[in-house]
């Protein structure tokens, strides 16, 4: 007889099979959803990166404008839509200036798009642009390409703006002070892992992703001095950094108040502090912009009056310059390579350079107006010398960011790339001649003309009129070149002085418009050029000289 109680049962029942299928199905659904989330997240990251790139590209177009008319054209045609690889983008601009009245402005552009889930996303970029001074643009920050192959972008690893404000117990926050002082500059630094944020008034103004977690922004700081020889408003005198950089200013005013400069007891010079924050591997320019009208003789000086004259790239000898140029160069198989701040080039078999934040201090500027005759100062040497020791050890026009770089402290700097050509303005035109009544053979004579600036040189063209003892020579056209090295203003004013011959008068022209400003006659022989924009060329054909017996138009 068979014992059924000991028989084994093999296989699974229908209910067990259904349960297994359900468990597997739920697992596959979870994996599918996770895969979809990963794809969506990757898509969001790509779209955000593309939006940032579009915004930065459009801002660079404004920053690279070289003339007022060029910038006006770019402002009139700012991009409002962009079709990318990952999404369709809309650009919304704010804080753009009236094209007729501006010199420095801080534009913002918000780029929005719809993600794969149908939600609206956006990024916001804000920066500073100084149209009238192209030396602060990105183009000015890049060294002359004829010197070699420059492989690194000047902005380094920082970017203007950023994402969400870093918060939480794992975020390190520090209140920033001007290096070497206890003066707070109104910003703070927040850090988590390799992400570093510069924050002002609760807003992220700059972000850096460092390769060396724990390191912060590098800084460049100093004083901006000015004496009583120059008419200057410190409130509208700004320190700017090219590329991705943010600069602050402080005097003795309460934090958040209107700038109130200190006074140096030894020299009597007034001054305020500045501090610029830049990211890992940055190289570029830091300089002065005055948002006001300035005399062409107003100049900015850098360097040390006690420094010896050398051909080293980082020579500290006195010179006029509204900028400092920060970079270093090393020679590689691919040509000359620029090295940014805080970077020590890789050595031996290592392929990775190291970053350690640098804090460069004592990089001072001296703003002055050069004077003629026995009056001081006539040049930067005298302006710095009158500082009574304030500028001893001061940095020159070029600053090496890596001590082992080419031309750093050695006499081989002349072979290195130099900053771009010096800016000038050409003022040119024809002079109309009105003779005495017909038959008298009497002609007007314009003997000479010049601007009252040591930085202006005029080349007049002369023609002969009449014959024999009635022959005279008079200026019929002119070309004046104004050199802007070390000038920091937004617009300029200067007098053109005309030397008139016998029986000659200068005709009145009313108020003529030129370069955004005006030209008017003053007295018998002076033309006042007032609030003229710094442009490459100005054509002025309204000078008319007449014989005293002739009628002016």
């Amino acid at each position: 007889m068979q014992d059924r109680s000991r028989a084994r049962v093999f296989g699974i029942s229908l209910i067990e099979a259904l349960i297994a299928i359900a468990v597997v199905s739920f697992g596959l659904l979870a994996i599918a959803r996770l895969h979809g989330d990963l794809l969506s997240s990757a898509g969001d990251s790509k779209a955000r990166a593309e939006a940032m790139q579009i915004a930065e590209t459009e801002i660079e177009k404004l920053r690279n404008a070289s003339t007022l008319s060029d910038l006006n054209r770019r402002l009139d045609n700012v991009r409002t839509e962009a079709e990318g690889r990952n999404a369709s983008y809309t650009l919304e601009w704010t804080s753009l200036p009236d094209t007729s009245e501006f010199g420095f402005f801080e534009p913002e552009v918000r780029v929005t798009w719809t993600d794969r889930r149908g939600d609206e996303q956006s990024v916001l970029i804000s920066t500073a642009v100084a149209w009238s001074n192209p030396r602060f643009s990105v183009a000015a920050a890049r060294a002359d390409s004829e010197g070699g192959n420059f492989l690194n972008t000047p902005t380094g690893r920082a970017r203007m703006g950023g994402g969400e404000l870093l918060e939480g117990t794992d975020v390190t926050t520090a209140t920033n002070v001007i290096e070497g002082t206890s003066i707070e500059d109104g910003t703070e630094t927040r850090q988590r892992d390799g992400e570093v944020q510069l924050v002002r008034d609760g807003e992220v103004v700059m972000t850096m992703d460092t390769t060396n977690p724990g390191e912060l922004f590098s800084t460049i700081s100093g004083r901006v001095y000015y004496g009583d020889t120059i008419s200057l408003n410190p409130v509208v005198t700004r320190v700017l950094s090219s590329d991705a950089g943010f600069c602050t200013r402080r005097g003795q005013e309460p934090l958040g108040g209107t700038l109130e400069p200190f006074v140096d007891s030894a020299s009597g010079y007034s001054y305020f502090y500045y501090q610029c924050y830049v990211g890992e591997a940055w190289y570029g320019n830091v300089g002065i912009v005055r948002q006001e009208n300035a005399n062409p003789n107003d100049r900015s000086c850098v360097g040390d009056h006690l420094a010896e004259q050398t051909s080293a790239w980082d020579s500290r000898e006195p010179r006029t310059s509204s900028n400092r140029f920060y970079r270093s160069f090393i020679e590689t198989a691919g040509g000359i390579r620029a090295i940014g701040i805080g970077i020590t080039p890789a050595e031996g078999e290592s392929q990775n350079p190291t970053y350690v934040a640098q804090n460069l201090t004592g990089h001072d500027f001296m703003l002055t107006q050069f004077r003629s005759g026995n009056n001081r100062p006539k040049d930067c040497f005298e302006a710095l010398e009158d500082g009574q020791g304030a500028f001893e050890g001061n940095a020159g026009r070029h600053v090496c960011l890596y001590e082992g770089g080419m031309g750093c402290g050695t006499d081989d700097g002349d072979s290195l790339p130099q900053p771009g050509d010096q800016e000038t303005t050409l003022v040119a035109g024809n002079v109309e001649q009105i003779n005495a009544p017909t038959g008298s053979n009497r002609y007007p004579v314009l003997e000479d003309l010049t601007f009252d600036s040591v930085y202006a040189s005029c080349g007049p063209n002369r023609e002969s009129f009449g014959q024999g003892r009635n022959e005279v020579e008079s200026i019929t056209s002119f070309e004046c070149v104004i050199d802007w090295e070390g000038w920091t203003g937004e617009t300029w004013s200067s007098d053109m002085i005309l030397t008139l011959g016998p029986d000659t008068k200068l005709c009145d022209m009313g108020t003529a418009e030129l370069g955004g400003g005006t030209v008017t006659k003053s007295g018998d022989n002076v033309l006042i050029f007032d609030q003229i924009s710094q442009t490459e060329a100005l054509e002025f054909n309204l000078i008319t000289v007449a014989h005293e017996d002739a009628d002016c138009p």
Side-chain angles (χ1 to χ4, degrees), residues 84-99:
R85 291 186 175 182
N86 300 285
S88 296
Y89 302 92
T90 300
L91 288 74
E92 181 182 358
W93 296 85
T94 56
S95 302
L96 289 180
D98 180 343
T99 56

Side-chain angles (χ1 to χ4, degrees), residues 132-188:
S132 62
N133 208 332
R135 52 183 171 266
F136 296 109
S137 69
V138 172
R142 290 174 169 79
D144 185 354
S145 60
E146 294 180 1
N149 179 25
F150 294 89
L151 305 176
N152 295 17
T153 58
T155 51
R157 298 188 63 85
R159 63 184 185 275
M160 302 308 295
E164 297 291 331
L165 187 68
L166 291 178
E167 295 181 305
T169 57
D170 58 343
V171 175
T172 302
T173 303
T175 299
N176 295 323
V177 299
I178 305 290
E179 285 292 327
T181 77
S182 59
I183 302 174
E184 297 181 8
D185 70 356
T187 68
E188 66 179 22

Side-chain angles (χ1 to χ4, degrees), residues 100-121:
S100 63
E101 298 178 3
F102 64 89
F104 171 87
F105 59 99
E106 298 175 292
E108 291 185 349
V109 56
R110 182 178 297 276
V111 184
T112 60
W113 71 97
T114 302
D115 63 19
R116 296 187 178 187
R117 295 179 295 274
D119 297 329
E120 186 177 276
Q121 303 290 339

Side-chain angles (χ1 to χ4, degrees), residues 199-216:
V199 179
R200 183 183 65 173
D201 298 331
E203 296 290 333
V204 180
V205 295
M206 191 164 68
T207 303
M208 176 179 70
D209 298 312
T210 178
T211 60
N212 191 5
E215 291 297 322
L216 305 177

Side-chain angles (χ1 to χ4, degrees), residues 273-348:
Y273 288 98
Y274 77 90
Q275 183 155 283
C276 297
Y277 296 84
V278 295
E280 173 182 339
W282 171 92
Y283 62 88
N285 309 335
V286 171
I288 305 289
V289 167
R290 291 169 55 192
Q291 296 175 256
E292 61 181 343
N293 191 61
N295 189 291
N297 290 330
D298 292 357
R299 300 287 154 152
S300 170
C301 297
V302 297
D304 177 357
H305 62 287
L306 299 179
E308 297 182 1
Q309 183 175 354
T310 71
S311 60
W313 190 80
D314 59 345
S315 169
R316 293 188 297 107
E317 62 192 88
R319 67 173 299 169
T320 53
S321 183
S322 55
N323 293 296
R324 278 198 176 89
F325 300 86
Y326 293 85
R327 47 182 64 74
S328 282
F329 305 101
I330 60 173
E331 193 166 6
T332 69
I336 296 176
R337 177 185 175 193
I339 298 295
I341 197 166
I343 295 296
T344 299
E347 298 179 357

